[in-house]
Amino acid sequence: MGNAITRRASFLSDASFDWLYPEGIQRMSRRHWTPMGIAKKAAGFLAAEGGGKILDIGSGVGKFTLIGAHYYPRSFFYGVEQRSELHHYAEAAKEYTKTENAAFINLNFTQVDLATYDHFYFYNAFFENLVTNDRIDHRIEYSESLYQYYSRFLYRELDRKPAGTRLVTFHSLEDEVPPAYQQVDASADFRLKMWMKR
Ligand SMILES: C[S@@+](CC[C@H](N)C(=O)[O-])C[C@H]1O[C@@H](n2cnc3c(N)ncnc32)[C@H](O)[C@@H]1O
């Protein structure tokens, strides 16, 4: 377990944060985990009102969730992740950084009651079903129909949420974003988009 100074240092840069994980996980960072600057910006939008419950759909090793929780302590950040190995690393990083306003759930997101969360972060989790290169592992089934199923499932759930619900997408094809969500901000390259339900 780190002391307070080394724990805080984890949140200073991508390199220092990635040191929380074993080498194989660090190597995946650039391709699969949200960069520090993006995570802070996304979390700032989702936590703007303070006190809300924010869910990262497909939370991997917890990078977005932990960075959001660290910089926005008035909100509670959750992450749901289907792969138990990644979930395990997220729990370990939470413990090391002593992050109290974060929690991780090891489930497929379709098994979680999305009605109990206020705002959502989505880093193109279902895209792994469409590409054959750069997959995290080969332990699960991939298919285009699974991409469609997950995207439609999330679309329906997001459509049920009340006005004022905030959503951030990163690298998304936007198949899961219902028209009731209005884009209110974006990064210069349009990879990061902030949405609010009307
Ligand atoms: C691109 S990574 C992003 C990780 C994390 N959100 C971050 O930004 O650091 C997407 C993650 O979504 C997970 N995932 C994909 N489909 C999922 C599903 N149906 N339910 C839960 N997790 C899923 C993958 O296992 C992967 O860890």
Side-chain angles (χ1 to χ4, degrees):
M1 189 90 42
N3 63 38
I5 292 167
T6 55
R7 283 197 305 270
R8 258 201 313 278
S10 300
F11 293 96
L12 292 178
S13 69
D14 280 300
S16 58
F17 189 86
D18 292 346
W19 269 104
L20 291 169
Y21 306 101
E23 225 179 294
I25 297 291
Q26 288 180 30
R27 273 198 300 274
M28 286 183 201
S29 188
R30 208 175 57 82
R31 177 79 176 86
H32 292 287
W33 324 133
T34 303
M36 176 76 64
I38 297 285
K40 278 158 80 169
K41 201 168 170 186
F45 174 74
L46 295 171
E49 290 155 6
K53 291 169 79 175
I54 293 159
L55 179 67
D56 180 6
I57 297 163
S59 48
V61 292
K63 190 167 177 187
F64 167 78
T65 309
L66 292 171
I67 293 170
H70 177 80
Y71 284 100
Y72 297 94
R74 287 176 57 222
S75 297
F76 205 104
F77 288 75
Y78 297 83
V80 57
E81 170 55 49
Q82 62 180 348
R83 289 179 164 94
S84 52
E85 191 192 358
L86 303 185
H87 169 80
H88 162 82
Y89 290 127
E91 290 283 16
K94 170 182 143 71
E95 199 175 310
Y96 181 86
T97 56
K98 285 196 184 303
T99 308
E100 285 175 4
N101 57 325
F104 294 103
I105 306 150
N106 184 200
L107 284 175
N108 193 299
F109 88 100
T110 55
Q111 294 168 280
V112 165
D113 183 7
L114 298 188
T116 61
Y117 301 92
D118 301 306
H119 308 294
F120 301 89
Y121 177 70
F122 183 68
Y123 178 1
N124 210 3
F126 315 143
F127 194 64
E128 63 182 9
N129 287 288
L130 300 182
V131 288
T132 49
N133 59 335
D134 264 343
R135 282 176 169 161
I136 292 174
D137 58 37
H138 299 278
R139 291 181 200 171
I140 59 168
E141 269 189 43
Y142 301 98
S143 71
E144 199 179 323
S145 57
L146 210 45
Y147 173 84
Q148 301 296 352
Y149 172 72
Y150 287 152
S151 300
R152 283 189 202 131
F153 192 103
L154 184 53
Y155 178 107
R156 276 197 305 274
E157 291 293 325
L158 289 175
D159 217 19
R160 286 197 188 115
K161 299 299 298 178
T165 299
R166 288 166 185 248
L167 167 70
V168 173
T169 56
F170 186 45
H171 282 277
S172 166
L173 302 179
E174 296 173 24
D175 291 322
E176 70 291 340
V177 184
Y181 283 76
Q182 191 174 16
Q183 190 186 311
V184 292
D185 202 359
S187 58
D189 61 7
F190 289 101
R191 286 182 184 152
L192 182 73
K193 291 188 179 175
M194 283 76 160
W195 311 82
M196 176 109 64
K197 187 154 191 251
R198 284 178 285 210

